Amino acid sequence: SEAWTTGVSAPEAVAAAPRPPASQLESMSSRHVTLLMGERMLDEDDWDPVEDQWAGGVEVDGTDPSSGHGYEFGMTYSRDDDDDGPVDVEGNTFDVYGGYRYTFRPDEQSIHPYLSGGLAVIRAEAEVDTPFGNDSDDVVSPGAYVRAGTAFDLGDPIPGGLHYRHIF
């Protein structure tokens, strides 16, 4: 009877098992929570006298520092109250949005220009109080947005920035 044996006649190279790829969100190591302040400029024909509303919001974004690809999600609220003669007008909006964001030169310098776009849902409400009665109207509408901006480092951990967003 013959015995079967297995042997190694040459040294074998041992390779480490490949590491599973990181999830897309884990690779976006440059993440921020941003407080937003500014002005929402609405169509004057539809919103006069409350077309320029003070706005505030919060946003979360993440970017892959090596490629500049990323995401953003946020919400914004705006409001204005004004009198037009004896008529008191109040207008407010609230929107939730999210989408793709591309940051140019994410690892270079202290200025980070970006472009973004995505989907939004906006709720708008107007109230009119007159000497003859009151009326209000509100609507919820889906939309899309585009945005251009620049983030800059004011100091660790305080960034700053400017942006313009247009909702369709």
Side-chain angles (χ1 to χ4, degrees), residues 11-27:
E12 290 184 17
V14 177
R19 184 177 162 199
S23 76
Q24 284 296 105
L25 291 178
E26 288 173 358
S27 72

Side-chain angles (χ1 to χ4, degrees), residues 123-126 136-140:
R123 178 185 182 274
E125 180 180 27
S136 67
D137 191 19
D138 65 275
V139 64
V140 175

Side-chain angles (χ1 to χ4, degrees), residues 110-126:
S110 60
I111 298 175
H112 315 284
Y114 61 88
L115 294 174
S116 62
L119 301 176
V121 176
I122 188 166
R123 178 185 182 274
E125 180 180 27

Side-chain angles (χ1 to χ4, degrees), residues 46-50 53 77 79-83 87-92 123-130 133-138:
D46 295 330
W47 285 88
D48 186 43
V50 292
Q53 300 182 358
Y77 176 78
R79 181 184 182 286
D80 192 15
D81 188 356
D82 199 357
D83 295 325
V87 178
D88 182 38
V89 181
E90 180 182 319
N92 65 70
R123 178 185 182 274
E125 180 180 27
E127 294 181 22
V128 179
D129 296 331
T130 71
N134 305 332
D135 194 15
S136 67
D137 191 19
D138 65 275

Side-chain angles (χ1 to χ4, degrees), residues 8-114:
V8 176
S9 60
E12 290 184 17
V14 177
R19 184 177 162 199
S23 76
Q24 284 296 105
L25 291 178
E26 288 173 358
S27 72
M28 306 214 179
S29 61
S30 178
R31 296 182 207 141
H32 306 96
V33 175
T34 306
L35 298 177
L36 306 168
M37 295 184 313
E39 183 176 32
R40 187 183 306 260
M41 296 175 284
L42 302 168
D43 187 321
E44 185 177 356
D45 293 336
D46 295 330
W47 285 88
D48 186 43
V50 292
E51 71 274 8
D52 297 325
Q53 300 182 358
W54 285 102
V58 64
E59 178 180 281
V60 175
D61 69 80
T63 302
D64 179 348
S66 63
S67 69
H69 298 288
Y71 64 89
E72 63 184 16
F73 297 98
M75 63 180 86
T76 314
Y77 176 78
S78 67
R79 181 184 182 286
D80 192 15
D81 188 356
D82 199 357
D83 295 325
D84 190 8
V87 178
D88 182 38
V89 181
E90 180 182 319
N92 65 70
T93 66
F94 175 78
D95 70 280
V96 177
Y97 61 92
Y100 171 78
R101 179 177 185 148
Y102 181 77
T103 303
F104 299 90
R105 304 181 320 220
D107 271 343
E108 300 174 17
Q109 303 175 7
S110 60
I111 298 175
H112 315 284
Y114 61 88

